[in-house]
Amino acid sequence: MACEDMDTVSLHCSDCPIRHRAVCARCETDELDRLEEIKYYRSFEAGQTIIWAGDRMDFVASVVTGIATLTQTLEDGRTQMVGLLLPSDFVGRPGRNTAAYNVTATTNVMMCCFRKKPFEEMMERTPHIAQRLLQMTLDELDAAREWMLLLGRKTAREKIASLLSIVARRDASIKMQPAQGSMNFELPLTREAMADYLGLTLETVSRQISALKRDGVIALEGKRHVSVPDMDRLLSEAGDDSDGGFLV
Amino acid sequence: MACEDMDTVSLHCSDCPIRHRAVCARCETDELDRLEEIKYYRSFEAGQTIIWAGDRMDFVASVVTGIATLTQTLEDGRTQMVGLLLPSDFVGRPGRNTAAYNVTATTNVMMCCFRKKPFEEMMERTPHIAQRLLQMTLDELDAAREWMLLLGRKTAREKIASLLSIVARRDASIKMQPAQGSMNFELPLTREAMADYLGLTLETVSRQISALKRDGVIALEGKRHVSVPDMDRLLSEAGDDSDGGFLV
DNA sequence: CGGCTCATTGACCGAAGTCAAGCAGAGTGG
DNA sequence: CCACTCTGCTTGACTTCGGTCAATGAGCCG
């Protein structure tokens, strides 16, 4: 496990930006006090590997700021992203002591870590933590299943449109705005990361983005800033106009 | 929701075949007594739809016997299987009142159902249930992620070999035998169901099975009985010889 | 400036999808 | 008993979407 970069920050739970969404969301103040004792912060730079699959893992953690990815690889190098970790998402599995996936920081990331043993003991005694973790895990399972539909049955164009919809929707929810009409947002992923997410090659990603641009579904400013003139149009390109709503 | 076929059976929890693996696995006898009060059995015939996506769902359940599938569809009819429910697997989500996926019986299925409201109340008071459900959900999430790698990055041939490996491995674990050397098992899925599982067309499934047969990796007796002369060979065809082990 | 990384685009190819014909086995009914 | 239909499966011919290989471009930084 890589943890060279460790400018440890001190932050009180009550001031924590993910206080209301993370695994600790349902904790009472006395429960938070106990968590406070076993927690510590760790920072990682963009591009850094946070955890290698198969490594021993003696902590669990919440993403506080930044974006990280969960990836899996076949031995010949083909890789598939299997999770996108946003602020408040949980990393690690209580009751397991080796990591199942590679975790990589795509932006600078700060994590709130708990030593595994004490955390597990606390989970036994504190139903609020287990309850919240269950809720979060069920949400992740739903997201994974939506993603399976995308991987198994959508065309390249639909895959790109779906990814853009997801990012747009998440961005809107952070800004507390409705995800409709015309929208602007940053795309925090490289073409390669998008390809790994969608089960495509980076060339196909590039081509399909160009095609969507050519057809007026999206416009780019620079490589990473996307503007969508008509969100409904993008959603219908994604194939699942019904509801959508996966990943946050 | 379809529930025409309801030959209700009476079965005491202590005699239940899935007692040690289901959501109730960690319950004490007094906890079981309370579950006993809110449970009822329901049977479904092979081919029957158990739940339609979007329908109101006022119960949660465990599969007691048989196999069911979870599927998702795009409005133009493309469908993707997102879960395979085997005995002891859990259906439904506490805290949600409409079904997210279609649930279909592929064989005759018996389910142990709990009315949702009382079950949710019990979960609040009974950490053992929430703990077990968390464990099971985390396992499902791992399986879903392994499946995402398959859908996103494996070739048709590898997909088929992976599916056969999974079924073979599960069969071996039921028979309490090691999954190696030469093996025989039944394939409880039609070509179409396999295609929906693997994100392929049924023609491709058929062709790849023929190819594996031609290459001596497997042999068929009838349409559904598979024999594998060399399990290692099959595993290496699946691409992930390292460990494997998804789904049960 | 050269040397990076990331992205775009083109030419070509091949794996898997589509469309279509036909087979095998299980029922069903005359 | 045979003829007929139905469903599930196989196989072939052809097409196409996305992958592969390769050249080129745009920023960025030492």
Side-chain angles (χ1 to χ4, degrees):
Chain A
M1 192 219 324
C3 52
E4 299 84 354
D5 182 65
M6 277 195 54
D7 45 278
T8 310
V9 193
S10 202
L11 180 62
H12 198 276
C13 286
S14 53
D15 303 325
C16 179
I18 57 167
R19 166 77 184 87
H20 55 301
R21 297 204 59 196
V23 71
C24 51
R26 297 174 67 168
C27 288
E28 313 284 349
T29 44
D30 60 319
E31 293 166 345
L32 278 187
D33 289 344
R34 266 177 290 154
L35 275 180
E36 198 98 51
E37 285 166 26
I38 61 171
K39 87 178 193 200
Y40 55 99
Y41 291 96
R42 226 185 235 185
S43 300
F44 300 88
E45 283 177 8
Q48 228 183 330
T49 295
I50 299 175
I51 301 157
W52 290 103
D55 275 9
R56 177 164 191 78
M57 203 177 157
D58 49 5
F59 66 96
V60 295
S62 295
V63 176
V64 181
T65 58
I67 298 181
T69 62
L70 247 48
T71 57
Q72 232 176 349
T73 57
L74 263 11
E75 60 270 26
D76 64 0
R78 283 174 283 176
T79 99
Q80 174 65 52
M81 197 186 298
V82 296
L84 192 52
L85 298 173
L86 306 175
S88 83
D89 284 341
F90 188 78
V91 186
R93 174 170 174 167
R96 168 186 291 168
N97 37 31
T98 61
Y101 313 101
N102 292 320
V103 184
T104 312
T106 53
T107 64
N108 289 344
V109 167
M110 183 164 74
M111 306 223 293
C112 171
C113 307
F114 306 102
R115 282 177 298 123
K116 200 158 70 72
K117 247 317 178 17
F119 185 84
E120 285 167 4
E121 286 161 10
M122 239 196 107
M123 255 184 57
E124 292 281 323
R125 281 178 290 122
T126 317
H128 282 157
I129 294 179
Q131 282 164 12
R132 177 65 188 142
L133 190 55
L134 174 59
Q135 225 172 55
M136 292 172 72
T137 308
L138 286 165
D139 285 341
E140 271 188 278
L141 187 56
D142 279 341
R145 286 175 167 161
E146 198 79 34
W147 200 340
M148 285 171 52
L149 177 64
L150 177 148
L151 290 172
R153 295 302 187 192
K154 288 192 178 178
T155 63
R157 185 179 174 102
E158 288 169 333
K159 286 178 176 182
I160 299 287
S162 298
L163 175 58
L164 294 176
S165 308
I166 293 163
V167 176
R169 214 182 273 123
R170 174 175 59 77
D171 193 62
S173 94
I174 287 171
K175 293 183 190 156
M176 311 274 276
Q177 292 169 352
Q180 50 178 285
S182 89
M183 303 188 66
N184 287 286
F185 55 89
E186 295 300 316
L187 237 187
L189 302 172
T190 65
R191 298 290 182 260
E192 188 179 20
M194 293 172 70
D196 286 344
Y197 187 102
L198 301 171
L200 297 171
T201 59
L202 64 91
E203 293 94 329
T204 299
V205 170
S206 189
R207 269 189 262 272
Q208 294 298 333
I209 287 183
S210 298
L212 288 174
K213 198 166 56 180
R214 194 179 329 115
D215 298 347
V217 181
I218 60 172
L220 295 188
E221 292 153 35
K223 305 282 182 195
R224 298 293 181 84
H225 190 92
V226 180
S227 63
V228 179
D230 178 5
M231 196 58 195
D232 286 345
R233 173 83 193 283
L234 181 63
L235 286 173
S236 78
E237 290 282 356
D240 49 8
D241 40 14
S242 49
D243 64 317
F246 60 108
L247 278 178
V248 176
Chain B
M1 191 219 324
C3 53
E4 298 83 354
D5 182 65
M6 277 194 54
D7 44 280
T8 311
V9 192
S10 203
L11 179 63
H12 198 276
C13 287
S14 52
D15 303 325
C16 179
I18 58 168
R19 167 76 183 89
H20 55 301
R21 298 205 59 197
V23 70
C24 51
R26 297 174 68 169
C27 288
E28 313 284 350
T29 45
D30 60 321
E31 292 166 345
L32 278 186
D33 289 343
R34 265 177 292 153
L35 275 180
E36 198 97 51
E37 284 166 26
I38 61 170
K39 88 178 191 201
Y40 55 97
Y41 291 97
R42 227 183 234 185
S43 301
F44 299 88
E45 284 177 7
Q48 229 182 329
T49 295
I50 299 175
I51 300 157
W52 291 102
D55 275 10
R56 175 163 192 79
M57 203 178 157
D58 48 4
F59 66 97
V60 296
S62 294
V63 175
V64 181
T65 58
I67 298 180
T69 62
L70 246 48
T71 57
Q72 232 176 351
T73 57
L74 262 11
E75 59 271 22
D76 64 1
R78 284 174 283 176
T79 99
Q80 174 65 52
M81 199 185 296
V82 296
L84 192 52
L85 299 173
L86 305 174
S88 83
D89 283 341
F90 188 78
V91 186
R93 172 168 176 170
R96 169 185 289 168
N97 37 31
T98 61
Y101 313 102
N102 293 320
V103 184
T104 313
T106 53
T107 64
N108 289 344
V109 167
M110 183 162 74
M111 307 223 291
C112 173
C113 306
F114 306 101
R115 282 177 298 123
K116 200 159 68 75
K117 242 332 177 9
F119 185 85
E120 283 168 4
E121 286 163 11
M122 238 194 109
M123 256 185 56
E124 293 281 323
R125 281 178 289 124
T126 318
H128 282 157
I129 293 179
Q131 282 164 12
R132 177 65 187 142
L133 190 55
L134 174 59
Q135 226 173 54
M136 293 172 71
T137 307
L138 286 165
D139 285 340
E140 271 186 277
L141 188 55
D142 279 341
R145 284 173 169 162
E146 197 79 34
W147 200 338
M148 285 170 53
L149 177 64
L150 177 149
L151 290 172
R153 294 301 186 192
K154 289 192 178 178
T155 64
R157 185 180 173 101
E158 288 170 333
K159 286 178 175 182
I160 298 286
S162 298
L163 175 58
L164 294 175
S165 308
I166 294 164
V167 176
R169 213 181 274 122
R170 175 173 59 78
D171 194 62
S173 95
I174 288 171
K175 293 183 190 154
M176 312 273 276
Q177 292 170 351
Q180 50 177 284
S182 89
M183 304 188 65
N184 287 286
F185 55 89
E186 296 298 316
L187 238 186
L189 302 171
T190 64
R191 297 289 183 260
E192 188 179 20
M194 294 172 69
D196 286 345
Y197 187 103
L198 301 170
L200 297 171
T201 59
L202 66 91
E203 292 94 330
T204 300
V205 170
S206 187
R207 269 188 261 271
Q208 294 298 335
I209 288 183
S210 298
L212 288 174
K213 198 166 55 178
R214 194 180 327 115
D215 298 346
V217 181
I218 60 171
L220 295 188
E221 292 151 34
K223 305 285 182 191
R224 299 291 183 84
H225 190 92
V226 181
S227 63
V228 179
D230 179 5
M231 195 60 196
D232 285 345
R233 173 83 194 284
L234 182 63
L235 286 173
S236 79
E237 290 282 358
D240 47 8
D241 40 15
S242 49
D243 62 318
F246 60 109
L247 278 179
V248 175

